[in-house]
Amino acid sequence: MLVCLLCWLVKINRTHYEQYYFTCHLNTSYPIPTHVSIVTNPCEKPRIFIPIFVPIRSPWTHKFAICVPVSFWSIDPFQLIEWIEANRIFGVSEINIYHVNMTEETLQILRHFAENDTIVRLHEIPSVPFYVHSRSGNKIGSPISLNDCMYRNIYRYRWVISVDFDEIIVPKKQKDYTAMLKEIDKKEK
């Protein structure tokens, strides 16, 4: 079985942090494995077995979701509300925000949308015991949060896009993202 490995190395204050992302393609004629184990030597006996969860693929319940990787500090309240509402107008059903060290004012706005409206979902940075508020720290958290968001939503949404709070995709001729992608699909065929 061929296993692909992607390593993400970040150096912060003379300390190296590494993240690994493993993938392997399975032959569909074999049964889907129930567990996986990682060993450093091909002949080594596995000690830890990690269960595999295979989600049931059903028709998508929504069209668009947004994943916002590692958000921190302060965001202008008016711009934040405008950004959320603009994405709603363009057809986004859910905005997943991975946050750390955000100001209380920013979190208060996001919590309001999360509690009173279904468009915002707040997540802590998964599997990171610490976070460094810096460009390097952002490099550590972004791949983890984006992978988590994409895999959480892979069978719930038709399209999942990754943008930051200072980015928005604006359709030129169409009223929303669904119409824009239908037009793009027509041109591609």
Side-chain angles (χ1 to χ4, degrees), residues 1 5 7 18 21 28 30 33 37 43 53 55 73 76 91 130 138 140 142-143 147 160 169 186 188-189:
M1 182 179 309
L5 168 67
C7 177
E18 296 180 37
Y21 181 74
T28 55
Y30 293 104
S37 184
C43 297
F53 172 72
W73 210 237
D76 178 87
F130 69 94
N138 195 16
I140 290 173
S142 287
N147 280 333
V160 179
I169 299 169
K186 273 196 253 176
E188 292 295 317
K189 290 181 181 179

Side-chain angles (χ1 to χ4, degrees), residues 69-81:
V70 185
S71 304
F72 53 87
W73 210 237
S74 178
I75 301 162
D76 178 87
F78 296 105
Q79 288 178 347
L80 179 58
I81 293 167

